[in-house]
Amino acid sequence: MLWTYTKTTSFYLLVAVIVLVSVFPFYYAILTSFKSGTALFEITYLPTHFSLDNYISVLTTGSFVRNFGNSILVATSVVVLALFLAVTAAFALARVSFRGRGLLLMTILAVSMFPQIAVLAGLFELVRAFGLFNTPFALIFSYTIFTLPFTVWVLTTFMRDLPVEIEEAAIVDGASPWVIITKVFMPLMWPALVTTGLLAFIAAWNEFLFALTFTSSSETRTVPVAIALLSGASQYEIPWGRIMAASVIVTVPLVVLVLIFQRKIVQGLTAGGVKG
Amino acid sequence: MSAGLKLNQVKKAYGAVQVLHGIDLDIKSGEFVVFVGPSGCGKSTLLRLIAGLEDITEGTLEIGGTVVNTLPPSKRGIAMVFQSYALYPHMTVYENMAFGLKLAKASPDEQDKRVREAADMLQITPYLDRLPKQLSGGQRQRVAIGRAIVRDPKVFLFDEPLSNLDAALRVATRLEIAKLHERMADTTMVYVTHDQVEAMTLADRIVVLNYGVVEQVGTPMELYHTPANLFVARFIGSPAMNIVSATITSSGAPATVQPKTGNPVTINAEVDATYVDAEATFGVRPEDLVPTNGPGLFTGTVSIVEKLGEVTLAYLDTGLPDPITVKIDGDVEIIKGATMTVTAPADRLHLFDETGAAFPRMQFSHAAE
Ligand SMILES: Nc1ncnc2c1ncn2[C@@H]1O[C@H](COP(=O)(O)OP(=O)(O)O)[C@@H](O)[C@H]1O
Ligand SMILES: [Mg+2]
């Protein structure tokens, strides 16, 4: 009896610690974003001040809104482009047998092992050569490259598990590979598409190094860089309030996306098509 | 509208592995042909070659008089029912059935008419708006058949369509398929199964396959009464034919053979004089053996008795390597451990040479199917 109590108690204690550790930084950011003036430098753990000054200042001064738009443009394009390329590639890798398929899959995985910093210089040359420097395309291009291996792998694994007979039924019904992908496979792959799409979006949304390197003007920057470069009245003042407000604003789209798509991840959609 | 099938030396190899070794077949328009054979013998492969889901390595395939080797499945005028049903899980029954028509750009009215006709025929109209997962196994199988009917195929292909159903449903669906064949009299049907009961009950003609080779083609009764070789003799009929090795002692018609033990046996088969003293095997079906008081074919102790109700199976230990199976009327009392003598008329025996090929049966006549 006592043992069960202890077990339950320590379990919830552990949960509490984990929740505290993961939520506290975000909670503190929200708290700080509503403070202004000297209140910023008082350490409080409960909401004591409420002022929207920081938010108004972030949204009205500088190019934050523009940067936010850039981020949305870049992340959305990356998701669309990466999913399109990955779904078509996964179809070939999972369903068409050709020589060197295994090797190709391994190569794709190997590519994703390089750290960003290792390819930064080379990628920079490419971006310049293509004339993409300081445009959103530079970021779309480089993020897509970095997202694709993972996306292709996940979708290939998923597609390989779809029943072959369903594909063959579609072939007998006269479906072309494109129709099979879009009308038969994609509806069955919703969970995988949403998951990989969401991860690609988050990665593109938060990326900093490429964004810093491949853009040079405040109009083309994405939010992570913009936030890092927010400056105060003097170079000795770090505008904590505005940084926190901007960070909170930037997190909102991610939370919204997760909430929307969580419902769309319909499990067991393949049930019923084949025996069982 | 309808079309026969003609296979000419059709071969299939996966890399270095030869799966089908030159299949010749002529299937008439409107015929119900069943491919039967043990698992792994190449039945599905042959069906998939006809469907166009696999490429033919060598040989030609004609449907309705045209060579279709390179035609995609959708252009061959075929429809296929898969073992696992292979319904599109995210589409309703209606959408499943209309999918092919939609891709063929049939007008919505045409689509609707054909889907509803097929649904009516199969009594699945109440389920048209359901998803496959909301249906039972039997209903899913009907939908799969309905999806094939909607395509209005010249050739209907089935790959073990009943193997995922339970026993009762299997019998019901088998009858359903037989009715379907009657209703679609011009449609050629090719049906794959490993179950000889399905083959016997459904087929106009049966093709027995073994290791990628056609062992025999014939009506169910031809295969039952005049199996061309040992393989077919063993495969068709349940329980399997009793096979006993022997030496041919006299040729002519009838011929005589001497088993390892027991009396000489006279068999109504035509045997050439060159075969005298050759090793051979003879076979007799369990249902052709009858108990006797006088001298018989086999005498032994009853080791196992299986009562199936209408018949009883008795297994006799006769000193031969395999027990002799006897199938007799269920009302006859058989006691385990008793000694039993059974016999069969000479015209009920089958004789095979050393290679397993059957000797022609003497003046054996059965109604030509
Ligand atoms: N894609 C394939 N690659 C290699 N071998 C195959 C392939 N498909 C089938 N086979 C082989 O061909 C033989 C016949 O298979 P199949 O036609 O499926 O037999 P069944 O008569 O049970 O339907 C089997 O030995 C199988 O291993
Ligand atoms: Mg098979």
Side-chain angles (χ1 to χ4, degrees), chain A residues 163-166 168-176 179 183-185 187-188 266-276, chain B residues 48 51 53 73-74 78-80 82-91 96 99-100 103-104 132-133 140 147 151 159 164:
Chain A
V164 182
E165 288 198 340
I166 288 184
E168 289 177 342
I171 293 175
V172 171
D173 268 340
S176 61
V179 171
K183 296 271 172 58
V184 180
F185 279 0
L188 300 179
V266 187
Q267 300 262 302
L269 202 58
T270 47
V274 295
K275 72 162 181 173
Chain B
R48 294 161 55 80
L53 292 169
S74 56
I78 56 118
M80 186 151 170
F82 294 87
Q83 182 172 353
S84 66
Y85 321 135
L87 299 176
Y88 310 121
H90 58 293
M91 297 187 199
N96 260 285
F99 190 61
L103 291 178
K133 69 173 167 217
R140 285 179 208 171
R147 182 172 64 179
R151 296 182 49 76
D159 192 354
N164 283 333

Side-chain angles (χ1 to χ4, degrees), chain B residues 22 40 48 59 65 85 98 100 105-106 147 183 187 203 206 209 240 259 271 284 334 336 369:
Chain B
R48 294 161 55 80
Y85 321 135
K105 305 221 158 46
R147 182 172 64 179
R183 225 174 301 157
T187 310
I206 296 177
L209 287 168
V271 178
V284 56
I334 299 172
K336 191 175 159 185
E369 247 72 24

